[in-house]
């Protein structure tokens, strides 16, 4: 009788899984870079929190949230569209030089507009957001420049599958975020402005150090009209702003809604929110390879492969999210104190719902990236719009500060996930109906 072939062991199964899912191999360099960036970001927050204490830490942490939120809301759409358009053009043998040119001009315009808005509202930002630390406003503007450069370059790297260069930029940014606050701590510097400067200089220097040769990645190609680039990107930016409202307005709301006697509570809650955002760094690695991969499949009408890729990513993201929730339930309060110090005390009743909200938000991001690959920008805008409305309505319900903001984050993320998932189902069905035969 024929013998049954031996089943592979645990290590062999992992190797087989890695080879059977090409996306996992592409994630490697980006994941390493994001790990360095994530560790750098949390090292920055940890050193800053210990050096300044909860009260002075709050405005710097708010700068950190606004800074990262601006990158994701204002400049990540540029990265996404450059990556999507470049990958789609490569799939049909076209150069993406016109895409990069339009992206640079668009990025410069966005940077200038929001820099002016920040400076015009400097007094309000200083009083209501930065607790009187006016020096953080011009630093936020300076940070916009570095973020625009970084995300444009990442779009070029991702669309051309240059994931090593993509990961290198992330790693350099993360290393610089560690270096700055450590040097400040060694020199016993305790100024809020100094720690803010250490944050915003990191992406500016990282972009300058990792640009390299862009010419080979942006060959001449068919012209791209502004009407085919700017309007969709503006819709995408609107969707990104609404998505960032859900995740980044939570700590800002905690800062704004806190009474004078709740300044320390707000600082601790912001630290808890930052801690539970850890899985979102993981999703950055997924997006870098996931979006251009789906864009190529959509551009060539491969509906079945598109569906398989989407299912693989959903399983991967859900597994990471579930693991993180379990970690927060088991040792979350201990991790918070370990990272920020003994003054930062939060219970599992605070940390676990925030971790669940972050997990839901991350899966919603998967759905949003899928809609971008399908060029269903308005659907993404509507999904995040619904989530944002639910978030804001929940903030109006009187309650304890932590419960009020945490519930808003959870409800907003869940609402967005439901709507975005419904749109993805419709978009996939349209792709199936137009699938190109093998």
């Amino acid at each position: 009788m024929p013998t049954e072939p031996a089943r592979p062991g645990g290590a062999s199964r992992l190797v087989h899984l890695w080879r059977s899912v090409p996306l996992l191999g592409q994630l490697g360099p980006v994941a390493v870079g994001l790990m360095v960036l994530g560790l750098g970001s949390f090292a920055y927050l940890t050193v800053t929190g210990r050096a300044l204490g909860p009260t002075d830490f709050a405005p710097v942490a708010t700068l950190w949230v606004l800074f990262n939120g601006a990158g994701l809301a204002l400049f990540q759409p540029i990265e996404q569209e450059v990556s999507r358009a470049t990958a789609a053009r490569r799939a049909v043998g076209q150069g993406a030089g016109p895409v990069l040119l339009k992206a640079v001009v668009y990025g410069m315009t966005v940077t200038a507009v929001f820099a002016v808005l920040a400076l015009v509202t400097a007094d309000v930002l200083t009083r209501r957001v930065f607790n009187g630390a006016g020096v953080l406003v011009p630093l936020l503007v300076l940070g916009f420049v570095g973020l625009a450069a970084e995300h444009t370059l990442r779009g070029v790297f991702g669309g051309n599958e240059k994931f090593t260069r993509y990961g290198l930029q992330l790693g350099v940014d993360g290393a610089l975020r560690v270096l700055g606050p450590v040097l400040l701590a060694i020199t016993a510097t305790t100024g809020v402005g100094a720690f803010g400067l250490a944050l915003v200089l990191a992406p500016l220097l990282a972009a300058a150090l990792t640009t390299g040769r862009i010419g080979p990645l942006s060959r001449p190609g068919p012209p791209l009209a502004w009407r085919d680039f700017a309007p969709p990107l503006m819709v995408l930016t609107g969707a990104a702003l609404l998505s960032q409202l859900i995740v980044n307005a939570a700590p800002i709301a905690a800062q704004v809604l806190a009474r004078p006697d709740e300044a320390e509570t707000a600082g601790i809650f912001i630290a808890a929110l930052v801690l539970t955002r850890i899985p979102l760094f993981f999703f950055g690695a997924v997006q870098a390879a996931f979006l251009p991969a789906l864009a190529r499949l959509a551009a060539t009408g491969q509906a079945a492969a598109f569906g398989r890729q989407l299912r693989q990513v959903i399983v991967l993201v859900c597994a990471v999210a579930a693991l993180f929730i379990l970690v927060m339930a088991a040792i979350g309060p201990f991790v918070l104190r370990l990272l920020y110090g003994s003054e930062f005390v939060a219970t599992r009743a605070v940390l676990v719902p925030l971790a669940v909200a972050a997990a839901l938000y991350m899966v919603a991001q998967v759905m949003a990236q899928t809609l971008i690959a399908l060029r269903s920008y308005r659907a993404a805008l509507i999904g995040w719009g619904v989530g944002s409305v639910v978030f804001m309505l929940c903030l109006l319900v009187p309650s304890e500060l932590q419960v009020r903001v945490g519930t808003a984050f959870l409800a907003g993320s869940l609402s967005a996930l439901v709507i975005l998932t419904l749109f993805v189902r419709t978009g996939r069905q349209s792709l199936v109906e137009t699938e190109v035969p093998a």
Side-chain angles (χ1 to χ4, degrees), residues 401-422:
L401 179 65
Q402 295 177 336
V403 174
R404 188 175 179 182
V405 179
T407 300
F409 183 23
L410 181 61
S413 298
L414 178 59
S415 302
L417 173 59
V418 171
I419 301 301
L420 291 167
T421 300
L422 292 175

Side-chain angles (χ1 to χ4, degrees), residues 296-362:
R296 287 193 302 272
L297 295 173
T300 52
Q302 300 181 57
F306 187 98
R308 285 195 300 273
Q309 184 83 88
L310 177 58
R311 287 191 295 272
Q312 290 169 356
V313 170
I314 290 174
V315 170
L316 181 63
V317 169
C318 287
V320 171
L323 178 61
F324 183 75
I325 293 170
L326 291 175
V327 170
M328 286 295 100
I331 59 173
F334 167 75
V335 173
L336 186 69
R337 293 192 303 273
L338 178 66
L339 290 176
Y340 295 102
S342 59
E343 295 174 284
F344 290 80
V345 178
T347 65
R348 291 177 176 82
V350 172
L351 291 170
V352 172
L354 292 178
V356 172
L360 293 173
Y361 180 85
M362 187 164 60

